[in-house]
CSV table of all heavy atoms in Angstrom, one decimal:
chain,number,residue,atom,x,y,z
A,25,MET,N,0.8,-1.2,0.0
A,25,MET,CA,0.0,0.0,0.0
A,25,MET,C,0.9,1.2,0.0
A,25,MET,O,1.8,1.4,0.8
A,25,MET,CB,-0.9,0.0,1.2
A,25,MET,CG,-2.0,1.0,1.2
A,25,MET,SD,-3.1,0.8,-0.2
A,25,MET,CE,-4.5,1.7,0.4
A,26,MET,N,0.6,2.1,-0.9
A,26,MET,CA,1.4,3.3,-1.0
A,26,MET,C,0.9,4.4,0.0
A,26,MET,O,-0.2,4.4,0.4
A,26,MET,CB,1.3,3.9,-2.4
A,26,MET,CG,2.2,3.3,-3.4
A,26,MET,SD,2.2,4.3,-4.9
A,26,MET,CE,3.0,5.8,-4.4
A,27,LYS,N,1.8,5.2,0.4
A,27,LYS,CA,1.5,6.2,1.3
A,27,LYS,C,2.1,7.5,0.8
A,27,LYS,O,3.3,7.5,0.4
A,27,LYS,CB,2.1,5.9,2.7
A,27,LYS,CG,1.2,6.5,3.8
A,27,LYS,CD,1.6,5.9,5.2
A,27,LYS,CE,3.0,6.5,5.7
A,27,LYS,NZ,3.2,6.1,7.1
A,28,CYS,N,1.4,8.6,0.9
A,28,CYS,CA,1.9,9.9,0.4
A,28,CYS,C,3.1,10.3,1.2
A,28,CYS,O,2.9,10.4,2.5
A,28,CYS,CB,0.8,10.9,0.3
A,28,CYS,SG,1.4,12.5,-0.2
A,29,PRO,N,4.2,10.7,0.6
A,29,PRO,CA,5.4,11.2,1.4
A,29,PRO,C,5.1,12.6,2.0
A,29,PRO,O,5.8,13.0,2.9
A,29,PRO,CB,6.5,11.2,0.4
A,29,PRO,CG,5.8,11.3,-0.9
A,29,PRO,CD,4.5,10.6,-0.8
A,30,ASN,N,4.1,13.2,1.5
A,30,ASN,CA,3.8,14.6,1.9
A,30,ASN,C,2.9,14.7,3.1
A,30,ASN,O,3.1,15.2,4.1
A,30,ASN,CB,3.3,15.4,0.7
A,30,ASN,CG,3.1,16.9,1.1
A,30,ASN,OD1,4.0,17.5,1.8
A,30,ASN,ND2,2.0,17.5,0.7
A,31,CYS,N,1.7,14.0,2.9
A,31,CYS,CA,0.7,14.1,3.9
A,31,CYS,C,0.3,12.8,4.6
A,31,CYS,O,-0.6,12.7,5.4
A,31,CYS,CB,-0.6,14.7,3.3
A,31,CYS,SG,-1.4,13.6,2.1
A,32,SER,N,1.1,11.7,4.2
A,32,SER,CA,0.9,10.4,4.7
A,32,SER,C,-0.5,9.8,4.5
A,32,SER,O,-0.9,8.8,5.1
A,32,SER,CB,1.1,10.4,6.2
A,32,SER,OG,2.5,10.7,6.5
A,33,SER,N,-1.2,10.4,3.5
A,33,SER,CA,-2.5,9.9,3.2
A,33,SER,C,-2.4,8.6,2.4
A,33,SER,O,-1.4,8.4,1.6
A,33,SER,CB,-3.3,10.9,2.3
A,33,SER,OG,-4.4,10.3,1.8
A,34,LYS,N,-3.3,7.7,2.6
A,34,LYS,CA,-3.3,6.4,1.8
A,34,LYS,C,-4.3,6.5,0.6
A,34,LYS,O,-4.6,5.6,-0.1
A,34,LYS,CB,-3.6,5.2,2.7
A,34,LYS,CG,-2.4,4.9,3.6
A,34,LYS,CD,-2.8,3.7,4.5
A,34,LYS,CE,-1.6,3.4,5.5
A,34,LYS,NZ,-2.0,2.5,6.5
A,35,ASP,N,-4.9,7.7,0.5
A,35,ASP,CA,-5.8,7.9,-0.6
A,35,ASP,C,-5.1,8.3,-1.9
A,35,ASP,O,-5.1,9.4,-2.3
A,35,ASP,CB,-6.8,9.0,-0.2
A,35,ASP,CG,-8.0,9.1,-1.0
A,35,ASP,OD1,-8.2,8.1,-1.8
A,35,ASP,OD2,-8.8,10.0,-0.9
A,36,ILE,N,-4.5,7.3,-2.4
A,36,ILE,CA,-3.6,7.5,-3.6
A,36,ILE,C,-4.3,6.8,-4.8
A,36,ILE,O,-4.7,5.6,-4.8
A,36,ILE,CB,-2.3,6.8,-3.4
A,36,ILE,CG1,-1.6,7.2,-2.2
A,36,ILE,CG2,-1.4,7.0,-4.7
A,36,ILE,CD1,-1.0,8.6,-2.2
A,37,GLY,N,-4.5,7.6,-5.8
A,37,GLY,CA,-5.2,7.1,-7.1
A,37,GLY,C,-4.1,6.9,-8.1
A,37,GLY,O,-3.2,7.6,-8.3
A,38,LYS,N,-4.3,5.8,-8.9
A,38,LYS,CA,-3.4,5.5,-10.0
A,38,LYS,C,-3.8,6.2,-11.2
A,38,LYS,O,-5.0,6.0,-11.7
A,38,LYS,CB,-3.3,3.9,-10.2
A,38,LYS,CG,-2.1,3.5,-11.0
A,38,LYS,CD,-2.0,2.0,-11.0
A,38,LYS,CE,-0.7,1.6,-11.7
A,38,LYS,NZ,-0.4,0.2,-11.6
A,39,ILE,N,-3.0,7.0,-11.8
A,39,ILE,CA,-3.3,7.7,-13.0
A,39,ILE,C,-2.5,7.3,-14.2
A,39,ILE,O,-2.7,7.7,-15.3
A,39,ILE,CB,-3.2,9.2,-12.8
A,39,ILE,CG1,-1.8,9.6,-12.4
A,39,ILE,CG2,-4.2,9.7,-11.8
A,39,ILE,CD1,-1.6,11.1,-12.4
A,40,GLY,N,-1.6,6.4,-14.0
A,40,GLY,CA,-0.7,5.9,-15.1
A,40,GLY,C,0.0,4.7,-14.7
A,40,GLY,O,-0.1,4.3,-13.5
A,41,SER,N,0.8,4.1,-15.6
A,41,SER,CA,1.5,2.9,-15.2
A,41,SER,C,2.5,3.1,-14.1
A,41,SER,O,2.7,2.2,-13.3
A,41,SER,CB,2.2,2.3,-16.5
A,41,SER,OG,3.1,3.3,-17.0
A,42,HIS,N,3.0,4.3,-14.0
A,42,HIS,CA,4.0,4.6,-12.9
A,42,HIS,C,3.6,5.9,-12.3
A,42,HIS,O,4.4,6.5,-11.6
A,42,HIS,CB,5.4,4.7,-13.5
A,42,HIS,CG,5.9,3.4,-14.1
A,42,HIS,ND1,6.3,2.3,-13.4
A,42,HIS,CD2,6.0,3.1,-15.4
A,42,HIS,CE1,6.6,1.3,-14.2
A,42,HIS,NE2,6.5,1.8,-15.5
A,43,GLN,N,2.4,6.3,-12.4
A,43,GLN,CA,2.0,7.6,-11.9
A,43,GLN,C,0.8,7.5,-11.0
A,43,GLN,O,-0.1,6.7,-11.2
A,43,GLN,CB,1.6,8.6,-13.0
A,43,GLN,CG,2.8,9.1,-13.8
A,43,GLN,CD,2.4,9.8,-15.1
A,43,GLN,OE1,1.8,9.2,-16.0
A,43,GLN,NE2,2.7,11.1,-15.1
A,44,TYR,N,0.9,8.2,-9.9
A,44,TYR,CA,-0.2,8.2,-8.9
A,44,TYR,C,-0.5,9.6,-8.5
A,44,TYR,O,0.3,10.5,-8.7
A,44,TYR,CB,0.3,7.4,-7.7
A,44,TYR,CG,0.7,6.0,-8.0
A,44,TYR,CD1,2.0,5.7,-8.4
A,44,TYR,CD2,-0.2,4.9,-7.8
A,44,TYR,CE1,2.4,4.4,-8.7
A,44,TYR,CE2,0.2,3.6,-8.1
A,44,TYR,CZ,1.4,3.4,-8.6
A,44,TYR,OH,1.8,2.1,-8.8
A,45,TYR,N,-1.7,9.7,-7.9
A,45,TYR,CA,-2.1,11.1,-7.5
A,45,TYR,C,-2.7,11.0,-6.1
A,45,TYR,O,-3.4,10.1,-5.8
A,45,TYR,CB,-3.2,11.5,-8.5
A,45,TYR,CG,-3.6,13.0,-8.3
A,45,TYR,CD1,-2.8,14.0,-8.9
A,45,TYR,CD2,-4.7,13.3,-7.6
A,45,TYR,CE1,-3.2,15.3,-8.7
A,45,TYR,CE2,-5.1,14.7,-7.4
A,45,TYR,CZ,-4.3,15.7,-8.0
A,45,TYR,OH,-4.6,17.0,-7.9
A,46,CYS,N,-2.2,11.9,-5.3
A,46,CYS,CA,-2.6,12.0,-3.9
A,46,CYS,C,-3.8,12.9,-3.8
A,46,CYS,O,-3.8,14.1,-4.1
A,46,CYS,CB,-1.5,12.4,-3.0
A,46,CYS,SG,-2.1,12.7,-1.3
A,47,TRP,N,-4.9,12.3,-3.3
A,47,TRP,CA,-6.2,13.1,-3.2
A,47,TRP,C,-6.1,13.8,-1.8
A,47,TRP,O,-7.0,14.7,-1.6
A,47,TRP,CB,-7.4,12.2,-3.3
A,47,TRP,CG,-7.5,11.6,-4.6
A,47,TRP,CD1,-7.2,10.3,-5.0
A,47,TRP,CD2,-8.0,12.3,-5.8
A,47,TRP,NE1,-7.5,10.2,-6.3
A,47,TRP,CE2,-8.0,11.3,-6.9
A,47,TRP,CE3,-8.5,13.6,-6.1
A,47,TRP,CZ2,-8.4,11.6,-8.1
A,47,TRP,CZ3,-8.9,13.9,-7.4
A,47,TRP,CH2,-8.8,12.9,-8.4
A,48,GLY,N,-5.2,13.6,-1.0
A,48,GLY,CA,-5.1,14.3,0.3
A,48,GLY,C,-4.5,15.6,0.1
A,48,GLY,O,-5.0,16.6,0.7
A,49,CYS,N,-3.4,15.7,-0.7
A,49,CYS,CA,-2.7,17.0,-0.8
A,49,CYS,C,-2.5,17.4,-2.3
A,49,CYS,O,-1.9,18.4,-2.6
A,49,CYS,CB,-1.4,17.0,-0.1
A,49,CYS,SG,-0.2,15.8,-0.7
A,50,PHE,N,-3.2,16.6,-3.2
A,50,PHE,CA,-3.2,17.0,-4.6
A,50,PHE,C,-1.8,17.1,-5.2
A,50,PHE,O,-1.5,18.1,-5.9
A,50,PHE,CB,-4.0,18.3,-4.8
A,50,PHE,CG,-5.3,18.2,-4.2
A,50,PHE,CD1,-5.6,19.0,-3.1
A,50,PHE,CD2,-6.3,17.4,-4.7
A,50,PHE,CE1,-6.9,19.0,-2.5
A,50,PHE,CE2,-7.6,17.4,-4.1
A,50,PHE,CZ,-7.8,18.1,-3.0
A,51,ILE,N,-1.0,16.1,-5.0
A,51,ILE,CA,0.3,16.1,-5.7
A,51,ILE,C,0.4,14.8,-6.5
A,51,ILE,O,-0.3,13.8,-6.2
A,51,ILE,CB,1.5,16.2,-4.7
A,51,ILE,CG1,1.5,15.0,-3.7
A,51,ILE,CG2,1.5,17.5,-3.9
A,51,ILE,CD1,2.8,14.9,-2.9
A,52,GLU,N,1.3,14.8,-7.5
A,52,GLU,CA,1.4,13.7,-8.3
A,52,GLU,C,2.7,13.0,-7.9
A,52,GLU,O,3.7,13.6,-7.7
A,52,GLU,CB,1.5,14.1,-9.8
A,52,GLU,CG,1.5,13.0,-10.8
A,52,GLU,CD,1.4,13.5,-12.2
A,52,GLU,OE1,0.6,14.4,-12.5
A,52,GLU,OE2,2.2,12.9,-13.0
A,53,LEU,N,2.6,11.6,-7.9
A,53,LEU,CA,3.8,10.8,-7.5
A,53,LEU,C,4.1,10.0,-8.7
A,53,LEU,O,3.3,9.3,-9.3
A,53,LEU,CB,3.4,9.9,-6.4
A,53,LEU,CG,2.8,10.5,-5.1
A,53,LEU,CD1,2.2,9.5,-4.2
A,53,LEU,CD2,3.8,11.4,-4.4
A,54,THR,N,5.4,10.0,-9.1
A,54,THR,CA,5.9,9.2,-10.2
A,54,THR,C,6.9,8.1,-9.6
A,54,THR,O,7.9,8.5,-9.0
A,54,THR,CB,6.6,10.0,-11.3
A,54,THR,OG1,5.6,11.0,-11.7
A,54,THR,CG2,7.0,9.2,-12.4
A,55,VAL,N,6.6,6.9,-9.9
A,55,VAL,CA,7.5,5.8,-9.4
A,55,VAL,C,8.3,5.3,-10.5
A,55,VAL,O,7.7,4.8,-11.5
A,55,VAL,CB,6.7,4.7,-8.7
A,55,VAL,CG1,7.7,3.6,-8.2
A,55,VAL,CG2,5.9,5.3,-7.5
A,56,ASN,N,9.6,5.3,-10.4
A,56,ASN,CA,10.5,4.8,-11.4
A,56,ASN,C,11.5,3.8,-10.8
A,56,ASN,O,12.5,4.2,-10.3
A,56,ASN,CB,11.3,5.9,-12.1
A,56,ASN,CG,11.5,5.7,-13.6
A,56,ASN,OD1,11.6,4.6,-14.0
A,56,ASN,ND2,11.6,6.8,-14.3
A,57,GLY,N,11.1,2.5,-10.8
A,57,GLY,CA,11.9,1.5,-10.1
A,57,GLY,C,11.8,1.8,-8.6
A,57,GLY,O,10.8,1.9,-8.0
A,58,ASP,N,13.0,2.0,-8.0
A,58,ASP,CA,13.0,2.3,-6.6
A,58,ASP,C,12.9,3.8,-6.3
A,58,ASP,O,12.8,4.2,-5.2
A,58,ASP,CB,14.4,1.8,-6.0
A,58,ASP,CG,14.4,0.3,-5.9
A,58,ASP,OD1,13.3,-0.3,-5.9
A,58,ASP,OD2,15.5,-0.2,-5.9
A,59,LYS,N,12.9,4.6,-7.3
A,59,LYS,CA,13.0,6.1,-7.2
A,59,LYS,C,11.6,6.6,-7.3
A,59,LYS,O,10.8,6.3,-8.2
A,59,LYS,CB,13.9,6.7,-8.2
A,59,LYS,CG,14.2,8.1,-8.0
A,59,LYS,CD,15.1,8.6,-9.1
A,59,LYS,CE,15.6,10.0,-8.8
A,59,LYS,NZ,14.6,11.0,-8.7
A,60,MET,N,11.2,7.5,-6.3
A,60,MET,CA,10.0,8.2,-6.4
A,60,MET,C,10.2,9.6,-6.5
A,60,MET,O,11.0,10.2,-5.9
A,60,MET,CB,9.2,7.9,-5.1
A,60,MET,CG,7.8,8.5,-5.1
A,60,MET,SD,7.0,8.3,-3.5
A,60,MET,CE,6.5,6.7,-3.5
A,61,SER,N,9.4,10.2,-7.5
A,61,SER,CA,9.4,11.7,-7.7
A,61,SER,C,8.1,12.2,-7.3
A,61,SER,O,7.1,11.6,-7.4
A,61,SER,CB,9.8,12.0,-9.1
A,61,SER,OG,11.1,11.5,-9.4
A,62,VAL,N,8.1,13.5,-6.8
A,62,VAL,CA,6.9,14.1,-6.4
A,62,VAL,C,6.7,15.4,-7.1
A,62,VAL,O,7.7,16.2,-7.3
A,62,VAL,CB,6.9,14.4,-4.9
A,62,VAL,CG1,5.6,15.0,-4.4
A,62,VAL,CG2,7.2,13.1,-4.1
A,63,TYR,N,5.6,15.6,-7.7
A,63,TYR,CA,5.3,16.9,-8.4
A,63,TYR,C,4.0,17.5,-7.9
A,63,TYR,O,3.1,16.9,-7.6
A,63,TYR,CB,5.1,16.5,-9.9
A,63,TYR,CG,6.3,15.9,-10.6
A,63,TYR,CD1,6.4,14.5,-10.6
A,63,TYR,CD2,7.3,16.7,-11.1
A,63,TYR,CE1,7.5,13.9,-11.2
A,63,TYR,CE2,8.4,16.1,-11.7
A,63,TYR,CZ,8.5,14.7,-11.7
A,63,TYR,OH,9.6,14.1,-12.3
A,64,GLN,N,4.1,18.8,-7.9
A,64,GLN,CA,2.9,19.6,-7.6
A,64,GLN,C,2.3,20.0,-8.9
A,64,GLN,O,3.0,20.5,-9.8
A,64,GLN,CB,3.3,20.8,-6.8
A,64,GLN,CG,2.1,21.7,-6.4
A,64,GLN,CD,2.5,22.8,-5.4
A,64,GLN,OE1,3.6,23.2,-5.4
A,64,GLN,NE2,1.5,23.2,-4.6
A,65,VAL,N,1.0,19.9,-9.0
A,65,VAL,CA,0.3,20.3,-10.2
A,65,VAL,C,-0.2,21.7,-10.1
A,65,VAL,O,-1.0,22.0,-9.2
A,65,VAL,CB,-0.9,19.4,-10.5
A,65,VAL,CG1,-1.6,19.7,-11.8
A,65,VAL,CG2,-0.5,17.9,-10.5
A,66,GLU,N,0.4,22.6,-10.9
A,66,GLU,CA,0.0,24.0,-10.8
A,66,GLU,C,-1.3,24.2,-11.4
A,66,GLU,O,-1.9,23.4,-12.1
A,66,GLU,CB,1.1,24.8,-11.6
A,66,GLU,CG,2.5,24.6,-11.2
A,66,GLU,CD,2.8,25.2,-9.8
A,66,GLU,OE1,1.9,25.8,-9.2
A,66,GLU,OE2,3.9,24.9,-9.3
A,67,GLU,N,-1.8,25.4,-11.2
A,67,GLU,CA,-3.2,25.8,-11.7
A,67,GLU,C,-3.3,25.7,-13.2
A,67,GLU,O,-4.4,25.4,-13.7
A,67,GLU,CB,-3.6,27.2,-11.2
A,67,GLU,CG,-3.9,27.3,-9.7
A,67,GLU,CD,-4.2,28.7,-9.3
A,67,GLU,OE1,-4.5,29.5,-10.2
A,67,GLU,OE2,-4.2,28.9,-8.1
A,68,ASP,N,-2.2,25.9,-13.9
A,68,ASP,CA,-2.2,25.9,-15.3
A,68,ASP,C,-1.9,24.5,-15.9
A,68,ASP,O,-1.8,24.3,-17.1
A,68,ASP,CB,-1.3,26.9,-16.0
A,68,ASP,CG,0.2,26.7,-15.6
A,68,ASP,OD1,0.4,25.7,-14.8
A,68,ASP,OD2,1.0,27.4,-16.0
A,69,GLY,N,-1.8,23.5,-15.0
A,69,GLY,CA,-1.6,22.1,-15.4
A,69,GLY,C,-0.2,21.7,-15.5
A,69,GLY,O,0.1,20.5,-15.8
A,70,THR,N,0.8,22.6,-15.3
A,70,THR,CA,2.2,22.2,-15.4
A,70,THR,C,2.6,21.5,-14.1
A,70,THR,O,2.0,21.8,-13.0
A,70,THR,CB,3.1,23.4,-15.7
A,70,THR,OG1,2.9,24.4,-14.7
A,70,THR,CG2,2.8,24.0,-17.0
A,71,LEU,N,3.6,20.7,-14.2
A,71,LEU,CA,4.1,20.1,-13.0
A,71,LEU,C,5.4,20.7,-12.5
A,71,LEU,O,6.3,21.0,-13.3
A,71,LEU,CB,4.4,18.6,-13.3
A,71,LEU,CG,3.2,17.7,-13.8
A,71,LEU,CD1,3.7,16.4,-14.2
A,71,LEU,CD2,2.2,17.7,-12.7
A,72,SER,N,5.5,21.0,-11.2
A,72,SER,CA,6.7,21.5,-10.7
A,72,SER,C,7.2,20.4,-9.7
A,72,SER,O,6.5,20.0,-8.8
A,72,SER,CB,6.5,22.8,-10.0
A,72,SER,OG,5.6,22.8,-9.0
A,73,SER,N,8.5,20.1,-9.8
A,73,SER,CA,9.1,19.1,-9.0
A,73,SER,C,9.2,19.5,-7.5
A,73,SER,O,9.6,20.6,-7.2
A,73,SER,CB,10.5,18.7,-9.5
A,73,SER,OG,11.1,17.7,-8.7
A,74,LEU,N,8.9,18.6,-6.7
A,74,LEU,CA,9.0,18.8,-5.2
A,74,LEU,C,10.1,17.9,-4.7
A,74,LEU,O,10.2,17.7,-3.5
A,74,LEU,CB,7.7,18.5,-4.5
A,74,LEU,CG,6.5,19.4,-4.8
A,74,LEU,CD1,5.3,19.0,-4.1
A,74,LEU,CD2,6.8,20.9,-4.5
A,75,ASP,N,10.9,17.3,-5.6
A,75,ASP,CA,11.9,16.3,-5.1
A,75,ASP,C,12.9,16.9,-4.1
A,75,ASP,O,13.3,16.3,-3.2
A,75,ASP,CB,12.7,15.8,-6.3
A,75,ASP,CG,11.9,14.8,-7.1
A,75,ASP,OD1,10.7,14.6,-6.7
A,75,ASP,OD2,12.4,14.2,-8.1
A,76,ASP,N,13.2,18.2,-4.3
A,76,ASP,CA,14.2,18.8,-3.4
A,76,ASP,C,13.6,18.9,-2.0
A,76,ASP,O,14.4,18.8,-1.0
A,76,ASP,CB,14.5,20.2,-3.9
A,76,ASP,CG,15.3,20.2,-5.2
A,76,ASP,OD1,15.8,19.1,-5.5
A,76,ASP,OD2,15.5,21.3,-5.8
A,77,LEU,N,12.3,19.0,-1.9
A,77,LEU,CA,11.7,19.1,-0.6
A,77,LEU,C,11.8,17.7,0.2
A,77,LEU,O,12.0,17.7,1.4
A,77,LEU,CB,10.3,19.5,-0.7
A,77,LEU,CG,10.0,21.0,-1.1
A,77,LEU,CD1,8.6,21.3,-1.2
A,77,LEU,CD2,10.7,21.9,0.0
A,78,PHE,N,11.6,16.7,-0.6
A,78,PHE,CA,11.5,15.4,0.0
A,78,PHE,C,12.7,14.5,-0.1
A,78,PHE,O,13.0,13.8,0.8
A,78,PHE,CB,10.3,14.6,-0.6
A,78,PHE,CG,9.0,15.3,-0.4
A,78,PHE,CD1,8.3,15.9,-1.4
A,78,PHE,CD2,8.4,15.2,0.8
A,78,PHE,CE1,7.1,16.5,-1.2
A,78,PHE,CE2,7.2,15.8,1.1
A,78,PHE,CZ,6.5,16.4,0.1
A,79,PHE,N,13.4,14.6,-1.2
A,79,PHE,CA,14.5,13.6,-1.5
A,79,PHE,C,15.8,14.2,-1.7
A,79,PHE,O,16.8,13.5,-2.0
A,79,PHE,CB,14.1,12.7,-2.7
A,79,PHE,CG,12.7,12.1,-2.5
A,79,PHE,CD1,11.7,12.5,-3.4
A,79,PHE,CD2,12.5,11.2,-1.5
A,79,PHE,CE1,10.4,12.0,-3.3
A,79,PHE,CE2,11.2,10.7,-1.4
A,79,PHE,CZ,10.2,11.0,-2.3
A,80,GLY,N,15.9,15.6,-1.5
A,80,GLY,CA,17.2,16.2,-1.7
A,80,GLY,C,18.2,15.7,-0.6
A,80,GLY,O,17.8,15.3,0.5
A,81,ASP,N,19.5,15.7,-1.0
A,81,ASP,CA,20.5,15.2,-0.1
A,81,ASP,C,20.5,16.0,1.2
A,81,ASP,O,20.6,15.4,2.3
A,81,ASP,CB,21.9,15.3,-0.7
A,81,ASP,CG,22.0,14.2,-1.8
A,81,ASP,OD1,21.3,13.3,-1.8
A,81,ASP,OD2,22.9,14.4,-2.7
A,82,GLU,N,20.4,17.3,1.1
A,82,GLU,CA,20.5,18.1,2.3
A,82,GLU,C,19.3,17.9,3.2
A,82,GLU,O,19.4,17.8,4.4
A,82,GLU,CB,20.5,19.6,1.9
A,82,GLU,CG,21.9,20.0,1.4
A,82,GLU,CD,21.9,21.5,1.1
A,82,GLU,OE1,21.2,22.3,1.7
A,82,GLU,OE2,22.6,21.9,0.1
A,83,SER,N,18.1,17.8,2.6
A,83,SER,CA,16.9,17.6,3.5
A,83,SER,C,16.9,16.2,4.1
A,83,SER,O,16.5,16.0,5.2
A,83,SER,CB,15.6,17.7,2.6
A,83,SER,OG,15.6,16.8,1.6
A,84,MET,N,17.5,15.2,3.4
A,84,MET,CA,17.6,13.9,4.0
A,84,MET,C,18.5,13.9,5.2
A,84,MET,O,18.3,13.3,6.3
A,84,MET,CB,18.2,12.9,3.0
A,84,MET,CG,17.2,12.5,1.9
A,84,MET,SD,15.8,11.6,2.6
A,84,MET,CE,16.4,9.9,2.5
A,85,GLN,N,19.6,14.7,5.1
A,85,GLN,CA,20.6,14.8,6.2
A,85,GLN,C,19.9,15.5,7.4
A,85,GLN,O,20.0,15.1,8.5
A,85,GLN,CB,21.8,15.6,5.8
A,85,GLN,CG,22.8,14.7,5.0
A,85,GLN,CD,23.9,15.5,4.3
A,85,GLN,OE1,24.0,16.7,4.6
A,85,GLN,NE2,24.6,14.8,3.5
A,86,ASP,N,19.2,16.6,7.1
A,86,ASP,CA,18.5,17.3,8.1
A,86,ASP,C,17.5,16.4,8.8
A,86,ASP,O,17.3,16.4,10.0
A,86,ASP,CB,17.7,18.5,7.5
A,86,ASP,CG,18.7,19.6,7.0
A,86,ASP,OD1,19.9,19.5,7.4
A,86,ASP,OD2,18.3,20.5,6.3
A,87,PHE,N,16.8,15.6,8.0
A,87,PHE,CA,15.8,14.8,8.5
A,87,PHE,C,16.4,13.7,9.5
A,87,PHE,O,15.9,13.5,10.6
A,87,PHE,CB,15.1,14.0,7.4
A,87,PHE,CG,13.8,13.3,7.8
A,87,PHE,CD1,12.7,14.0,8.3
A,87,PHE,CD2,13.7,11.9,7.7
A,87,PHE,CE1,11.6,13.4,8.7
A,87,PHE,CE2,12.6,11.3,8.1
A,87,PHE,CZ,11.5,12.0,8.6
A,88,SER,N,17.5,13.2,9.1
A,88,SER,CA,18.1,12.2,10.0
A,88,SER,C,18.7,12.8,11.3
A,88,SER,O,18.7,12.2,12.3
A,88,SER,CB,19.3,11.4,9.3
A,88,SER,OG,20.3,12.3,8.9
A,89,GLN,N,19.1,14.1,11.1
A,89,GLN,CA,19.6,14.8,12.3
A,89,GLN,C,18.5,15.0,13.3
A,89,GLN,O,18.6,14.9,14.5
A,89,GLN,CB,20.3,16.1,11.9
A,89,GLN,CG,21.7,15.9,11.4
A,89,GLN,CD,22.3,17.1,10.8
A,89,GLN,OE1,21.7,18.1,10.8
A,89,GLN,NE2,23.4,16.9,10.2
A,90,ILE,N,17.3,15.4,12.7
A,90,ILE,CA,16.1,15.6,13.6
A,90,ILE,C,15.8,14.3,14.3
A,90,ILE,O,15.5,14.4,15.5
A,90,ILE,CB,15.0,16.1,12.7
A,90,ILE,CG1,15.2,17.5,12.2
A,90,ILE,CG2,13.7,16.1,13.5
A,90,ILE,CD1,14.3,17.9,11.1
A,91,HIS,N,15.9,13.2,13.6
A,91,HIS,CA,15.5,11.9,14.3
A,91,HIS,C,16.5,11.6,15.4
A,91,HIS,O,16.1,11.0,16.4
A,91,HIS,CB,15.5,10.8,13.2
A,91,HIS,CG,14.2,10.5,12.7
A,91,HIS,ND1,13.3,9.7,13.4
A,91,HIS,CD2,13.5,10.9,11.6
A,91,HIS,CE1,12.2,9.6,12.7
A,91,HIS,NE2,12.3,10.3,11.6
A,92,LEU,N,17.8,11.9,15.2
A,92,LEU,CA,18.8,11.5,16.2
A,92,LEU,C,18.7,12.4,17.4
A,92,LEU,O,19.0,11.9,18.5
A,92,LEU,CB,20.2,11.7,15.6
A,92,LEU,CG,20.6,10.6,14.5
A,92,LEU,CD1,21.9,11.0,13.9
A,92,LEU,CD2,20.7,9.2,15.2
A,93,SER,N,18.3,13.6,17.3
A,93,SER,CA,18.3,14.5,18.4
A,93,SER,C,17.1,14.3,19.3
A,93,SER,O,16.1,13.7,18.9
A,93,SER,CB,18.4,16.0,18.0
A,93,SER,OG,17.3,16.3,17.1
B,12,ZN,ZN1,-0.6,13.7,0.0
């Protein structure tokens, strides 16, 4: 069962062979093998990547530091 990395909602809809949509926070998830990408759908329909927020190296380090402290 997939879980949204942004809002932890399990209300994920499949919109393509490797694409999912979170109905909790309205972001698009793309799964490519082990790699997951997150996109925000703008009002004009374009996608802007949110990968830096979730999967960037710096944010991952910050996240682990938060967990350790
Ligand atoms: Zn979500």
Side-chain angles (χ1 to χ4, degrees):
M25 191 60 159
M26 278 188 71
K27 210 168 73 170
C28 175
N30 185 43
C31 67
S32 296
S33 170
K34 289 177 181 171
D35 195 8
I36 307 286
K38 194 169 187 178
I39 58 173
S41 54
H42 300 285
Q43 287 170 296
Y44 301 85
Y45 190 80
C46 174
W47 295 102
C49 60
F50 309 109
I51 61 172
E52 188 174 315
L53 310 166
T54 301
V55 179
N56 216 332
D58 290 338
K59 192 178 186 304
M60 182 188 282
S61 296
V62 183
Y63 299 93
Q64 182 173 25
V65 183
E66 306 289 355
E67 287 180 15
D68 62 1
T70 58
L71 298 176
S72 60
S73 176
L74 298 177
D75 284 4
D76 289 347
L77 289 178
F78 294 108
F79 308 114
D81 288 340
E82 286 182 31
S83 61
M84 287 293 275
Q85 282 169 7
D86 290 345
F87 192 64
S88 60
Q89 281 167 7
I90 291 168
H91 260 277
L92 286 171
S93 58

